[in-house]
Amino acid sequence: MSTDRCRVLMIYPRFNPGSFWNYKATCELAGARHPAAPLGLITVAAMLPETWEIRLVDLNAEEVGEADLAWADLVMTGGMLPQQEGTLAVVARCRSLGKPVVVGGPDATSTPDIYAAADFLVLGEAEEIMDGFVQAWTTGARSGVFRSEMGKTDVTKSPTPRFDLLKFAHYLHIGVQFSRGCPFNCEFCDIIELYGRVPRTKTNAQIIRELETLHALGYRGHVDFVDDNLIGNKKALKQFLPVLTSWIRDRNYPFEFSTEASINLSDDAALMQAMSEANFFTIFVGIESPDTDTLISTQKKQNTRRSLQESVHRIYRAGLFVNAGFILGFDSEKGSVARGMIDCIEDTAIPVCMVGLLYALPNTQLTRRLAREGRLGLPDEAAYTAEAGDQCTAGLNFITSRPRRSILTDYEEVLEAVYAPRSFFGRVRRVGRMLDCSNRRLELPSSMEWQELKSSWRLIWRMTTAKGGVRYEFWKTVIDCAVHNRRALPYVMMMVALYLHLGPFSRNVIEQVQRQIDHLAKASPGSPKTSDLRSAHGHLEVVG
């Protein structure tokens, strides 16, 4: 093999099948195979020498063949915590075939010891590392560890990702990244540990170049800004949004955008207006808890001193619908929190909620505190092997402050309440009435319009043939939106489509949580029965 040439097989590991973020049923509806493309790997691909040949296989969308592995001189892989099991499987397969394998990404950076079997570890932000790795490989090194100082990388030097390696039809959306880091200091969050508290932004020209590349390759539709807090550097964002607005207008609105942002976005009417004009249609917000004491104790003070209901509704009126995250299991929870969380979700009218259990992520302030207190790990009576997933099923990896069974019972109660069809579709209807879509435009080629039409018919069929009250709630929601705010109908249908995943997913989580509760009851037979702990909230009905 020539030292200036190398055949690299990039393998994106499978997500755990029980993850909230899989959206498999929704993907199938749209003719896709996975929600999001592997932005990290294709960014790394752009840092490799032009003489190197690169192939990409996303195991969430396709299988890797023996011929691909036989072709490769080197395999690169890595991902996030819910991909840990999949990454280790890739490493094991490569080692069994004698293929050198490189592992990087946020999970390897946080827990490198887990990936000790890999030949190379690339830990940290790749822009600072890849030149050194390439130099080592081409001079004959066949193992090593390469590190960069976290949160210091100049992202203005980050190259345009290799979007040409993607099969666009496999995904619901394609990602780009404007900034890294978040200015806040949430105790449980690993983003500030990985990327720092000073948000670093790309230049306007960089992002426009990335969008131009996607456009030239023929991609149209949903683009996700994967930033952990897009508004972390408001000054830079406000300078960028008019440029983005001008660009999409000049190209007849080929994209619409989503992102993640903190709730203080609602305080800035001009910024919300600018995002709406730039064709942003939805944001994910970490609300975590409606309890002020909990928010203060976990250092999420940006969510206090406000009415969450009014804040979310202002965002709706600006034309952006909100998805949100909620967490149970904080030390500050004095008793049952289920009713307060359910009321918050209903009052804010947030249909899509990721309700999970607190998880002590590696290298966070929370994990360091729990370690000092001797609370990391599970007590013997709580030892239970949950199905591979994420914090929805595998949270509470520490000794909890209030009884574990009480937290799990609260969790069941919240999921049953918010994902019952009447509750979910009721929130969708309220969003549909509030959502201002006057700035929204998306022009798709006729082939994609036809695909959208087929997806809509599939959704109508699935909802019309569903059991358990879903059909009635679906048609009530469609008619309500058509009568009161017809322009919001595409986004109402988008939220409805997510129920194909969320309904069955929530039922699966409830069943797993109940098994954990039953396990705890056997380990502590003198404790109260689950039925004594729970409030009566009816039975969750899901799409059949």
Side-chain angles (χ1 to χ4, degrees), residues 15-145:
F15 277 83
N16 293 333
S19 172
F20 176 91
W21 303 108
N22 269 334
Y23 291 148
K24 284 297 183 186
T26 307
C27 288
E28 290 169 2
L29 188 78
R33 299 184 184 183
H34 192 64
L39 181 60
L41 276 183
I42 62 173
T43 302
V44 171
M47 301 174 195
L48 299 177
E50 293 182 2
T51 56
W52 289 20
E53 296 179 63
I54 304 171
R55 293 181 185 176
L56 172 68
V57 176
D58 182 350
L59 294 180
N60 300 283
E62 57 190 329
E63 298 296 326
V64 61
E66 295 297 332
D68 288 319
L69 287 163
W71 167 86
D73 299 316
L74 179 66
V75 173
M76 291 185 172
T77 190
M80 297 180 285
L81 179 60
Q83 293 169 281
Q84 186 179 102
E85 186 176 306
T87 304
L88 291 172
V90 172
V91 172
R93 187 174 180 186
C94 290
R95 294 306 302 267
S96 71
L97 296 171
K99 291 289 179 183
V101 58
V102 186
V103 176
D107 193 48
T109 298
S110 295
T111 53
D113 291 348
I114 290 175
Y115 299 97
D119 298 282
F120 296 93
L121 291 176
V122 174
L123 310 177
E125 296 176 84
E127 290 89 347
E128 299 290 327
I129 303 173
M130 292 313 296
D131 285 348
F133 166 77
V134 169
Q135 176 66 22
W137 173 263
T138 56
T139 55
R142 291 300 176 263
S143 65
V145 177

Side-chain angles (χ1 to χ4, degrees), residues 213-261:
T213 301
L214 275 173
H215 188 267
L217 289 168
Y219 182 74
R220 301 292 185 273
H222 182 179
V223 173
D224 181 46
F225 278 77
V226 303
D227 306 45
D228 294 291
N229 188 355
L230 185 70
I231 69 168
N233 185 332
K234 283 189 178 183
K235 180 179 179 182
L237 181 62
K238 288 181 176 181
Q239 292 172 348
F240 168 63
L241 288 173
V243 176
L244 177 60
T245 301
S246 177
W247 185 86
I248 59 168
R249 185 187 301 122
D250 290 346
R251 283 150 190 80
N252 198 26
Y253 299 90
F255 303 139
E256 58 182 358
F257 305 106
S258 60
T259 194
E260 183 170 348

